[in-house]
Amino acid sequence: MQQNLTLHIHGMTCAGCEQTIRQGLEQLDGVEEVAVSVSTNDAQVAFDDSTTSLDTIARQIGRLGYRMVHAESFEGFDHTSAMTYVARLGGQAKSALTWLGARTIFCAALTLAMWLIPDRFGIDGLAICSTVVLIIGGGPMIMRAVKAFGLGSLTMDTLVSVGTLSAWGYSILAAYGRSTLGLDLARQADVFNTPYFVTVATLITIVLLGRLIEQWAQFSSQSAVRKLVGQPVAEATRIGPGGDEVVALDAVVVGDRLRVKSGQRVPLDGTVVAGSTEVDESLLTGESLPVPKTVDSRLIGGSINLAEPVEMVVTHLNHQGVLHQVVSLVLSAQRSKPPVQRLADEWSKRFVMGVFAVALLTFILWTLFAKPPQGVAAEVIALNRMVSVLMIACPCALGLATPVAVVMAISQVARQGILVKQAASLEQLVQIDTVVFDKTGTLTAGGGLDKYHIDFVMNPDLVGMTRQDALFYLGSLEQGSPHPFARLITRMAHNEANRGLVSPDEFRTVDREGIGGKVDGVNVWCGNQYLLDTVGVAIPDSLKPDGQRLSRMGRSLVYGVVDGQVVALVGIGTALRNEAADVIATLKSKGHHVVLLTGDMAEAGQAVADALGIAEVISNVAPDEKREVIKTLQDEGKRVMMLGDGLNDAVALAQADVGVAVDMTSDIAAMSSDVAFLTPKLSNVLALFTLAQRTRRVIRQNLMFAFAYNVVAIPVAAGVLVPVIGVSVNPMVAGLAMAASSIIVIFNSLKLRL
């Protein structure tokens, strides 16, 4: 049986670590797919548990020089375990930081003593202290480098290990093997300004300090996800035949009736069935103001009830809940890589090999052509230059240039209720030139039934059927449909029909057109104009003026047919969203071409377009034809963003370069999209474009700095400026520069939090 697990791994530092772990796990029989991310310190592994096991995978990770600290399957997460998982990751990251900090402090203290009082240590003491720092501070890096080399992989750890071991090994030979090399430690001091043992300890301490700051920054970048989930909810108050009872969340099932008191967190996703209140959804949706909730309102698990107690019915459990979807989507997006990062990773793989070639060439050239001071061997200067090259080179800056920026960007907008599913979408967003809006539920206000306007117009030519009769037939049929329009008609029928509604004898859905069936043995149809064409019923001339009038008001038209006659016209619509006009005006001012795409009649679409200042309207488009419209725009060379909210937009959302589901209440629409809004705020579109622009700018800055740093620093460390202006870089300065380069990249990415 195939298992899909997320493994949290300690010890990764760069893209080379990703490669080492991926190659090592792919060697195991039964491992089918491996995706490793240094930005989230985890790996997603798909394997056949009849061939290999989690223990085998954990041992392999250990053999590679890393440590698997936890494994979890997101597929089985419930509301509590999703939050527990993120909290656990935070705890593990804190533990790793604590251990790294302790090693750094120990090594720094010992190194400082070696600097301040070298005479008290003597050569033997300096050698011992240097070796202790090398083992405690550099041991894990050296082990990972050796194991990676065994797999044919070269990483940042390889560069640091070879550089420090070369310096340490030379110092040992120089101190205790003078007869072998003919060198004197005192003469080395003329070149290195301090005994080389101190240099080794200093290099290790600098690397540790750099790693500590990097890990702290990466831990900080994940804070948005930890804040997102808040505190776990372990219990719920279930309303049973015997009254209220407090039960464990695991004991709650779909359909249970729960009571949520003032100040409590909503335990699971559900619908309000009694009472009214206001809730705080800020952590999940970014909505800073309390959100009013009444009967039929949706409640999101993890939000906080701020006012009166309410009763709710549970609609989603386990991995179906909004909170789980948010956490899993955010973490998945953080693991993904945009195309530019894949190129950087490929370059960094070759980079380390290139650095070794440059370091070796540097040693050879300085050995052959150096003109050392009197009494100083050329090999000493050559080794100095070689170690400087190894220490100053930094593939980590290149490997971290994009991942940290992506983690920051995606986690920050998640707190605003914007879920970006793939990092590649951030790159595509900056290329968008055409924005296509669906009308109903996107530009017009969706939400609860109370937000809709409904006009019920009877056919004036009809004889023998009253309004109450028509509502009975149409309302009884619409009971079988979950569509909001169906619920509106059903509610009106419950209130106005002259008899109780009945279940339809037959019920069928006509794709993209409406529904049909039999009520009390009578054929009943309810749908749009396409449905009338399908069943061969014409629109009465007496209803056409009302249809035109309602269309000009922006209403969607639904026709009711009973026993072969159009009995009523229903106009349904909502007011335009308050921010719609401002959002569209802003998009146009930034050079985006805006298109309104709707399945409604031309008059309804044009009415909305005129109100919002949209020049291009494409009306009367069936759901499956929306995809063709998007494709036509793309064939014209346009990069298209599509915004929609419902099932009939799903195919078009998938076709668009960037598909945005403005409301995650439609699971299929959300699944088909690249971006999903937890709440349908159109202003999120502007925030999305701003995020994409800022993220691209930060990534470009990071990559340009990483490339420029290595292009300039490596030749300088190799000594190209020595013959010209006499400037050289000793290994300690090289180590500081290497650590600083990664830190600069990370802190530049952290400004995305602002």
Side-chain angles (χ1 to χ4, degrees):
M1 179 179 176
Q2 188 183 65
Q3 296 283 336
N4 295 281
L5 298 179
T6 298
L7 315 179
H8 188 67
I9 300 172
H10 175 63
M12 290 193 288
T13 59
C14 66
C17 299
E18 292 182 355
Q19 181 185 13
T20 299
I21 294 173
R22 185 179 66 253
Q23 289 178 344
L25 294 182
E26 286 175 346
Q27 291 178 356
L28 297 176
D29 293 336
V31 173
E32 300 169 1
E33 187 176 352
V34 181
V36 186
S37 173
V38 66
S39 60
T40 52
N41 290 312
D42 61 20
Q44 291 184 314
V45 182
F47 64 96
D48 185 348
D49 60 7
S50 64
T51 306
T52 191
S53 66
L54 181 60
D55 287 341
T56 302
I57 292 173
R59 285 194 297 271
Q60 178 74 341
I61 291 173
R63 284 193 289 267
L64 297 173
Y66 305 89
R67 182 165 60 91
M68 188 192 83
V69 292
H70 189 71
E72 193 76 61
S73 170
F74 254 92
E75 296 176 1
F77 273 12
D78 58 20
H79 177 92
T80 302
S81 60
M83 294 190 287
T84 303
Y85 176 76
V86 174
R88 186 187 297 119
L89 293 188
Q92 292 164 355
K94 284 184 179 179
S95 298
L97 277 172
T98 302
W99 169 236
L100 181 58
R103 289 165 54 211
T104 303
I105 292 172
F106 173 81
C107 293
L110 196 55
T111 301
L112 184 61
M114 293 169 68
W115 272 100
L116 296 178
I117 49 174
D119 294 340
R120 293 192 180 182
F121 285 94
I123 292 297
D124 293 339
L126 291 174
I128 292 171
C129 290
S130 176
T131 303
V132 169
V133 171
L134 185 66
I135 293 172
I136 293 178
M141 288 183 286
I142 295 171
M143 292 301 297
R144 289 195 298 267
V146 171
K147 292 173 179 179
F149 183 76
L151 291 171
S153 178
L154 301 177
T155 68
M156 182 67 196
D157 288 333
T158 313
L159 292 177
V160 174
S161 298
V162 172
T164 53
L165 285 174
S166 298
W168 178 82
Y170 169 76
S171 298
I172 291 294
L173 291 174
Y176 301 106
R178 296 185 181 88
S179 59
T180 302
L181 296 180
L183 301 174
D184 192 294
L185 191 63
R187 292 179 179 177
Q188 296 170 35
D190 296 334
V191 179
F192 295 105
N193 302 319
T194 184
Y196 220 163
F197 287 119
V198 180
T199 302
V200 172
T202 304
L203 290 175
I204 293 294
T205 301
I206 289 171
V207 171
L208 285 176
L209 181 62
R211 295 277 171 88
L212 180 64
I213 296 174
E214 286 176 22
Q215 288 198 17
W216 173 84
Q218 286 187 294
F219 175 78
S220 177
S221 72
Q222 293 285 359
S223 63
V225 179
R226 293 191 295 274
K227 290 178 181 177
L228 187 66
V229 299
Q231 297 297 319
V233 179
E235 298 176 332
T237 303
R238 183 165 59 192
I239 303 173
D244 292 357
E245 58 174 338
V246 177
V247 297
L249 207 62
D250 292 341
V252 178
V253 299
V254 171
D256 276 357
R257 195 178 181 109
L258 306 180
R259 190 183 309 281
V260 184
K261 299 178 182 178
S262 178
Q264 287 185 337
R265 285 186 177 273
V266 177
L268 295 166
D269 290 15
T271 303
V272 177
V273 293
S276 61
T277 188
E278 293 182 335
V279 301
D280 178 2
E281 297 180 346
S282 58
L283 284 178
L284 287 162
T285 68
E287 177 57 62
S288 58
L289 297 176
V291 180
K293 300 291 182 179
T294 58
V295 174
D296 288 336
S297 295
R298 181 180 64 152
L299 290 174
I300 301 176
S303 58
I304 303 173
N305 183 13
L306 298 176
E308 301 300 321
V310 293
E311 296 179 16
M312 63 173 285
V313 169
V314 176
T315 57
H316 295 88
L317 289 179
N318 302 328
H319 60 282
Q320 299 173 339
V322 170
L323 179 63
H324 167 75
Q325 293 182 55
V326 171
V327 173
S328 58
L329 282 174
V330 170
L331 292 179
S332 176
Q334 289 177 346
R335 295 185 191 102
S336 65
K337 295 183 180 182
V340 65
Q341 179 60 28
R342 299 187 190 109
L343 292 175
D345 286 349
E346 287 299 318
W347 193 89
S348 64
K349 292 176 187 176
R350 295 165 175 78
F351 173 82
V352 178
M353 185 69 73
V355 171
F356 275 115
V358 171
L360 181 60
L361 181 63
T362 298
F363 182 82
I364 294 172
L365 292 178
W366 280 100
T367 299
L368 295 176
F369 302 110
K371 297 178 180 179
Q374 182 69 28
V376 177
E379 291 84 351
V380 175
I381 297 177
L383 182 65
N384 179 293
R385 305 282 184 259
M386 184 190 78
V387 173
S388 294
V389 168
L390 292 172
M391 294 304 301
I392 208 167
C394 189
C396 280
L398 190 62
L400 294 172
T402 299
V404 179
V406 167
V407 166
M408 284 304 311
I410 290 174
S411 59
Q412 287 305 305
V413 293
R415 295 189 63 195
Q416 302 176 41
I418 304 172
L419 305 182
V420 179
K421 299 183 182 180
Q422 292 292 326
S425 298
L426 295 175
E427 283 193 43
Q428 293 170 334
L429 275 165
V430 298
Q431 302 170 16
I432 295 297
D433 53 30
T434 301
V435 182
V436 179
F437 286 92
D438 171 52
K439 181 179 80 71
T440 305
T442 302
L443 292 174
T444 60
L449 299 183
D450 293 334
K451 294 185 177 181
Y452 285 92
H453 304 289
I454 181 167
D455 296 273
F456 192 92
V457 182
M458 286 292 293
N459 180 359
D461 298 335
L462 197 63
V463 177
M465 181 172 292
T466 65
R467 174 187 175 96
Q468 289 75 19
D469 291 330
L471 282 170
F472 165 75
Y473 285 110
L474 300 182
S476 295
L477 178 68
E478 293 284 17
Q479 288 183 114
S481 172
H483 196 282
F485 288 4
R487 293 167 60 198
L488 281 166
I489 295 172
T490 300
R491 187 171 71 170
M492 176 179 279
H494 274 299
N495 294 333
E496 298 185 31
N498 55 7
R499 46 187 155 152
L501 304 185
V502 298
S503 298
D505 305 322
E506 297 178 7
F507 182 88
R508 56 188 175 278
T509 300
V510 183
D511 186 34
R512 75 180 174 82
E513 297 177 359
I515 58 176
K518 283 190 176 184
V519 176
D520 272 0
V522 178
N523 288 319
V524 182
W525 301 90
C526 201
N528 56 27
Q529 184 176 349
Y530 299 109
L531 180 67
L532 298 188
D533 296 337
T534 299
V535 300
V537 177
I539 300 174
D541 292 338
S542 58
L543 278 179
K544 288 180 179 178
D546 288 302
Q548 294 170 354
R549 173 181 60 83
L550 293 172
S551 291
R552 286 193 296 270
M553 295 171 62
R555 300 284 198 267
S556 298
L557 303 184
V558 178
Y559 295 92
V561 179
V562 178
D563 201 18
Q565 296 185 83
V566 176
V567 298
L569 166 65
V570 187
I572 300 175
T574 58
L576 295 174
R577 296 191 186 277
N578 294 331
E579 73 273 26
D582 290 339
V583 168
I584 288 171
T586 303
L587 289 173
K588 290 166 63 178
S589 70
K590 294 181 179 296
H592 293 98
H593 177 57
V594 180
V595 178
L596 174 59
L597 180 62
T598 178
D600 284 340
M601 304 301 291
E603 293 88 350
Q606 193 61 53
V608 172
D610 291 343
L612 298 177
I614 300 175
E616 183 175 356
V617 185
I618 304 174
S619 305
N620 293 314
V621 181
D624 55 349
E625 295 171 347
K626 289 184 177 181
R627 175 183 177 277
E628 295 303 318
V629 172
I630 300 297
K631 189 174 186 303
T632 299
L633 291 171
Q634 292 171 326
D635 291 342
E636 294 172 358
K638 295 181 172 64
R639 304 303 297 268
V640 182
M641 170 192 279
M642 168 73 186
L643 293 98
D645 77 313
L647 174 60
N648 61 354
D649 301 316
V651 179
L653 293 175
Q655 175 65 40
D657 295 288
V658 178
V660 180
V662 299
D663 192 348
M664 277 190 66
T665 52
S666 172
D667 292 337
I668 296 179
M671 288 287 289
S672 303
S673 64
D674 303 295
V675 180
F677 297 162
L678 282 177
T679 54
K681 294 196 302 183
L682 287 184
S683 57
N684 285 341
V685 178
L686 303 180
L688 198 56
F689 278 117
T690 301
L691 163 77
Q693 294 287 353
R694 291 184 63 204
T695 303
R696 182 177 69 167
R697 183 164 58 249
V698 167
I699 289 174
R700 284 183 172 181
Q701 291 170 351
N702 288 347
L703 289 174
M704 289 176 63
F705 170 78
F707 276 109
Y709 165 81
N710 284 292
V711 167
V712 173
I714 292 174
V716 171
V720 296
L721 295 182
V722 173
V724 182
I725 56 176
V727 173
S728 62
V729 178
N730 70 44
M732 286 180 291
V733 173
L736 280 171
M738 179 270 292
S741 65
S742 293
I743 293 168
I744 289 172
V745 164
I746 291 174
F747 276 88
N748 189 50
S749 299
L750 288 178
K751 70 185 183 183
L752 284 169
R753 290 195 302 183
L754 303 177

